[in-house]
Every structure is written in structure tokens, then in C-alpha cells.
Amino acid sequence: MKTMQIFEPAMCCSTGLCGVGVDPELLRISTVLDTLKKHGITVDRFNLNSAPMEFVNNKAVNDFINDKGPDGLPITLMDGEIVLTGKYPTNAEITEWLGLSADLLGTPVKAQGNEGCCCKGGCC
């Protein structure tokens, strides 16, 4: 089976889903990874704040950060090779890279600002 790893910037908690202003993209990626886990597919997720040695011990990630700095995070690796930097993979990219059925993750959830929110004026 293919292996996917996501190396994320430093956040206050392991998922970034804490505090009052939750980033919809972090919510999407957490939901996607939970769905994958429920189907027996594990994607390793490392936060710079809580797992700094994973960044040091991974040569590809360490080299990238030494060259570009932490502003290039998140970094997604497939089988040890960097496939995406600076943003999280889309649902379609995840299913394609892992060789999964496209409908496993359902309709892609797009990260939106308040203008795309159900409340239309300053989301819940």
C-alpha cells in the first residue's frame, strides 16, 4: 500500500482545530483523514510544534525546510517523495495518489470564506 505523510506548520494542537477561529481547510483535511482511517487507510500527519523530530529525521522535509523555510508548509509526501507544498491536497488528489475510489471521500468540501457560508453574513 502507498504511504502518505503530511508535515504541517506549528499549530497550537495536533489538528489546528482549536481556538475560536477554526480554519475551514484544517477542518476539511481532518475530516478527510478521519474518513480514510475509518476505511483502514492511515495517513501520517505531523505538526512542527508537537513532532519536531519527524521534520528533522525526514531528509526530504528537512532539506526542503532548510532551503525554503517553514513558510512552504504543509508538505505532502507520497512514498517518501514530496508531491505537494504550500497547501493541503484536494480530496481528488488524495484519492488519486492513494489509488482509492473517487467517491470514497464524497463531494469535495471547498474551503470558503464567509461569502460561501450558509449564514451569508458572518458564519456560525
Side-chain angles (χ1 to χ4, degrees):
M1 165 150 289
K2 296 180 179 185
T3 60
M4 179 183 276
Q5 297 174 305
I6 299 175
F7 290 80
E8 301 175 298
M11 295 183 276
C12 59
C13 62
S14 63
T15 62
L17 298 177
C18 45
V20 294
V22 174
D23 180 344
E25 186 64 353
L26 290 174
L27 180 58
R28 181 191 67 84
I29 201 69
S30 290
T31 301
V32 165
L33 297 182
D34 284 344
T35 300
L36 292 173
K37 186 176 182 179
K38 288 177 186 174
H39 286 88
I41 302 153
T42 301
V43 174
D44 294 318
R45 185 177 185 186
F46 304 110
N47 179 318
L48 183 57
N49 198 37
S50 60
M53 290 310 294
E54 294 293 338
F55 289 73
V56 172
N57 293 332
N58 185 298
K59 182 170 176 25
V61 172
N62 194 344
D63 289 348
F64 180 89
I65 291 176
N66 283 327
D67 186 43
K68 308 275 188 210
D71 291 338
L73 297 173
I75 299 171
T76 303
L77 276 67
M78 284 298 306
D79 296 329
E81 300 292 323
I82 294 175
V83 293
L84 185 66
T85 63
K87 64 180 185 170
Y88 289 96
T90 65
N91 294 7
E93 288 169 330
I94 291 170
T95 55
E96 178 184 339
W97 294 339
L98 291 173
L100 304 171
S101 170
D103 64 347
L104 178 67
L105 299 178
T107 305
V109 178
K110 294 182 181 176
Q112 300 175 343
N114 286 347
E115 70 280 355
C117 178
C118 60
C119 310
K120 296 285 187 209
C123 211
C124 358

